[in-house]
Amino acid sequence: MAVVGVLALQGSFNEHIAALKRLGVKGVEIRKPEQLLTVNSLIIPGGESTTMAKLAEAFNLFPALREFVQMGKPVWGTCAGLIFLANKATGQKTGGQELVGGLDCTVHRNFFGSQIQSFETELLVPELVSKEGGPETFRGVFIRAPGILNVGPGVQVLADYPVPSDKVLSSDSSVEGKKENAEEGSKVIVAVRQGNILATAFHPELTADTRWHSYFLKMESLVGKEASSSIVPEQVTQVSTSFKQPPLHDLPIFQ
């Protein structure tokens, strides 16, 4: 049985583990750096991102999490997990929070407003449908959700959402990057992939639809193939024949 690590500091880690179980996959709770050595892929769930960051710092997890990402192992961040993986985050509390990084994007921490402004909507997900089949849309559950303001050239946009100006604008009008996304008819990015990194601003684990989890599970073998294909022929011919390949509840208060 495949085993996937789920960061279990706070938030919806139990829901992710339940979704994996429905697919016949074991999810294991990760709270210590050494536990990351036992898994080849990791989900960073939604939760209260500042609290999660403080706990991760207390357990000295940030160096191990960064190494995990840099090694090219598949990592998926949902909601607060997206914030963790972003290279840059705006709209943070005073003093900000430490980030894992690796995902070439700028994310706004509370793009869609407060807890009472949480909502659900149908998202067009053509890439997900092409790989996993099923309906043309996915039910996106947005709970005090972040939004991706911009992405680098190596980032594939998997889903976006047309944002009404009244939903984007809030009392925090000074937030960097918010006004340019507030124009009527504009869209905010809510799901992306960059190599080994998958990120969603919404919570697939809070639905019965397991297509995002299935998509993520397939990334591990795909990432391995992509890494192997990057070896140039000259390097291969120099390898000795003796060479051996090394082993490679109630809804929580979110964000």
Side-chain angles (χ1 to χ4, degrees):
M1 176 185 287
V3 178
V4 177
V6 182
L7 192 65
L9 300 176
Q10 187 262 349
S12 59
F13 57 90
N14 281 324
E15 288 80 358
H16 273 294
I17 291 173
L20 291 169
K21 185 177 181 179
R22 292 198 296 273
L23 292 172
V25 174
K26 182 179 180 180
V28 295
E29 298 178 8
I30 302 294
R31 294 187 177 89
K32 299 178 181 180
E34 58 269 24
Q35 292 175 316
L36 287 169
L37 300 174
T38 66
V39 296
N40 287 322
S41 57
L42 177 72
I43 297 174
I44 304 178
E48 208 293 314
S49 60
T50 304
T51 299
M52 288 173 63
K54 289 179 178 178
L55 289 170
E57 186 175 3
F59 287 109
N60 195 33
L61 271 163
F62 277 107
L65 288 170
R66 293 190 185 105
E67 183 180 4
F68 196 94
V69 172
Q70 291 166 4
M71 289 175 67
K73 295 184 177 183
V75 181
W76 176 18
T78 62
C79 203
L82 158 62
I83 299 171
F84 261 51
L85 292 172
N87 282 347
K88 183 179 179 182
T90 65
Q92 300 197 68
K93 297 178 181 179
T94 303
Q97 70 178 65
E98 194 169 355
L99 302 174
V100 174
L103 179 58
D104 187 10
C105 74
T106 299
V107 62
H108 186 282
R109 184 178 176 274
N110 286 129
F111 187 89
F112 289 101
S114 65
Q115 187 86 3
I116 60 172
Q117 293 170 297
S118 302
F119 65 100
E120 297 184 16
T121 188
E122 295 295 330
L123 298 169
L124 289 172
V125 286
E127 169 68 9
L128 185 69
V129 173
S130 70
K131 297 294 193 296
E132 301 299 326
E136 293 183 356
T137 61
F138 187 92
R139 189 70 176 175
V141 179
F142 291 82
I143 303 177
R144 202 178 175 189
I148 300 172
L149 303 180
N150 56 67
V151 297
V155 179
Q156 179 185 9
V157 175
L158 303 179
D160 53 28
Y161 177 69
V163 186
S165 58
D166 61 346
K167 184 169 286 293
V168 180
L169 293 176
S170 70
S171 58
D172 186 9
S173 59
S174 64
V175 171
E176 176 190 351
K178 211 168 189 181
K179 288 185 177 180
E180 65 258 33
N181 288 280
E183 298 178 4
E184 187 175 356
S186 65
K187 294 184 178 181
V188 62
I189 300 168
V190 295
V192 294
R193 180 180 174 187
Q194 179 187 335
N196 62 305
I197 301 174
L198 177 66
T200 56
F202 47 95
H203 292 268
E205 74 279 10
L206 300 182
T207 75
D209 192 336
T210 56
R211 284 181 294 167
W212 282 105
H213 288 80
S214 178
Y215 180 87
F216 176 67
L217 291 172
K218 293 172 183 175
M219 282 175 55
E220 184 171 345
S221 59
L222 182 60
V223 167
K225 289 178 182 178
E226 289 171 348
S228 299
S229 65
S230 66
I231 302 175
V232 297
E234 287 78 4
Q235 291 175 308
V236 174
T237 59
Q238 293 173 7
V239 175
S240 167
T241 55
S242 62
F243 173 80
K244 293 184 179 180
Q245 177 68 31
L248 291 175
H249 39 272
D250 287 335
L251 294 185
I253 300 298
F254 290 129
Q255 301 227 117

